[in-house]
Amino acid sequence: MAPSAIESTPASASEPVKNRSGDPDLAFIPDETSSPPIFKDKYEERTYLKHRLAIAFRIFAQFGFAEGVAGHITMRDPVEPTSFWVNPFGMHFSLIRDEDLIRVDHDGNVVDGGKNRRLNYAAYAIHAEIHKARPDVLCAAHSHSVYGRAMCATGRTLDMLTQDACTFYNDHVLYPNFAGVVLAAEEGRHIAQYLGRKKAALLGNHGLLTAAASIEAAVAWFVLLDKCCQVQLAADASANGTGKPLVVIGEEEAEATWAALGKESGGYFMGLPLFQVAEQQFGESTFLGRGVEPL
């Protein structure tokens, strides 16, 4: 990680005590509502996940992540796992319905979908390679958010300045090689290689990318990452103005915080309030926003 313009200092000079804030497993107590529903019928699962993906686009629209025709969220198809569902090129996030989504195979062919079957080739070039490299990834999200783009122009990853930032502790990367609009599979492979097993990437001079085992986690982490970029930029500006160094969370504290907040289960659960709000655009209201039990 590149250094800040103002040198940062640790939060405490004393030797930290591991997990002194408590057991990280207490942050999210696992039960039947703390993970995605399980389906025996893959076609039923497809229907469910397509609707979750449509809601995800409404969430992105609510947060202002729709920038012209840029941006895409993909979901691996449970019936044909070598294909994924994505938004049709040229349709605003706030208007996308289940039936508008298109399904693309790993060769870039549109094999299913709505009336508009235009494919944003950048979505294919990036996301197909991520889905190929990461069988654990159900969903990958990318857009040209304002603070994400600003942070991606600094050539840095996040400093661990806040509890929220620790969600990405040792779990995000900088992809520094901007080569223009990603229209080549080879460039997509490079991005997937840089991402590795991590949950997020800052694509240099481009935008943010998140990947997760659930749509909810990918969306929640994208929203949170963009806000962490906003905090980082504001904190850097403050430090540059005052000449006072930023206070960075210690490594052991950051690791313990990641253990509490940064796992897949936490990402899924953190995404549910976003879905609770957005599902109302479809006239729905379900318990915890999971899309399973109507209220």
Side-chain angles (χ1 to χ4, degrees):
M1 179 170 61
S4 304
I6 299 295
E7 185 177 354
S8 301
T9 58
S12 173
S14 61
E15 185 177 350
V17 178
K18 191 172 184 180
N19 294 345
R20 63 183 179 182
S21 64
D23 183 356
D25 290 338
L26 295 177
F28 297 99
I29 305 297
D31 64 15
E32 67 277 3
T33 66
S34 60
S35 60
I38 298 174
F39 294 86
K40 294 181 179 179
D41 186 329
K42 292 298 181 181
Y43 287 93
E44 183 181 355
E45 183 177 6
R46 172 192 276 177
T47 298
Y48 172 81
L49 290 175
K50 284 181 64 179
H51 190 52
R52 300 302 276 179
L53 185 57
I55 296 174
F57 284 110
R58 303 301 180 99
I59 294 170
F60 266 39
Q62 290 171 354
F63 280 91
F65 296 158
E67 187 70 38
V69 296
H72 17 85
I73 311 174
T74 56
M75 178 270 291
R76 186 191 304 273
D77 183 58
V79 179
E80 299 288 345
T82 55
S83 65
F84 57 83
W85 294 89
V86 66
N87 47 308
F89 195 33
M91 190 169 195
H92 197 275
F93 290 171
S94 67
L95 302 176
I96 293 175
R97 305 163 299 170
D98 308 22
E99 57 266 35
D100 297 313
L101 299 169
I102 61 174
R103 185 163 64 91
V104 183
D105 66 22
H106 285 184
D107 293 320
N109 302 306
V110 177
V111 295
D112 196 357
K115 183 176 181 179
N116 176 5
R117 295 197 174 190
R118 291 180 177 88
L119 171 64
N120 181 342
Y121 198 82
Y124 163 71
I126 297 172
H127 291 248
E129 297 304 323
I130 292 173
H131 284 294
K132 288 178 187 177
R134 294 278 302 273
D136 61 304
V137 166
L138 172 74
C139 179
H142 166 67
S143 88
H144 297 181
S145 61
V146 172
Y147 296 109
R149 279 181 290 175
M151 188 67 197
C152 289
T154 68
R156 301 164 51 203
T157 52
L158 294 173
D159 294 325
M160 296 298 103
L161 300 179
T162 66
Q163 173 178 294
D164 297 314
C166 293
T167 302
F168 303 97
Y169 175 70
N170 283 343
D171 209 4
H172 73 298
V173 298
L174 171 69
Y175 179 73
N177 304 324
F178 179 74
V181 179
V182 181
L183 298 175
E186 183 178 2
E187 184 69 4
R189 281 194 292 274
H190 290 160
I191 292 172
Q193 289 167 0
Y194 263 80
L195 178 64
R197 308 301 299 176
K198 300 185 187 302
K199 66 161 62 84
L202 280 68
L203 307 181
N205 305 101
H206 188 173
L208 305 179
L209 172 75
T210 58
S214 70
I215 297 172
E216 294 80 3
V219 170
W221 287 338
F222 192 100
V223 171
L224 184 60
L225 183 57
D226 190 68
K227 290 188 175 182
C228 287
C229 290
Q230 182 180 6
V231 170
Q232 178 80 62
L233 295 165
D236 285 344
S238 175
N240 285 327
T242 64
K244 297 181 179 179
L246 300 176
V247 179
V248 177
I249 295 170
E251 290 190 9
E252 290 196 28
E253 291 85 355
E255 183 178 2
T257 306
W258 179 92
L261 303 178
K263 298 178 182 178
E264 283 281 351
S265 57
Y268 172 77
F269 199 78
M270 285 191 290
L272 292 182
L274 302 175
F275 281 75
Q276 291 168 28
V277 175
E279 68 181 6
Q280 294 180 12
Q281 294 189 26
F282 292 90
E284 300 164 2
S285 181
T286 64
F287 179 64
L288 288 177
R290 297 180 73 235
V292 177
E293 182 183 348
L295 294 177

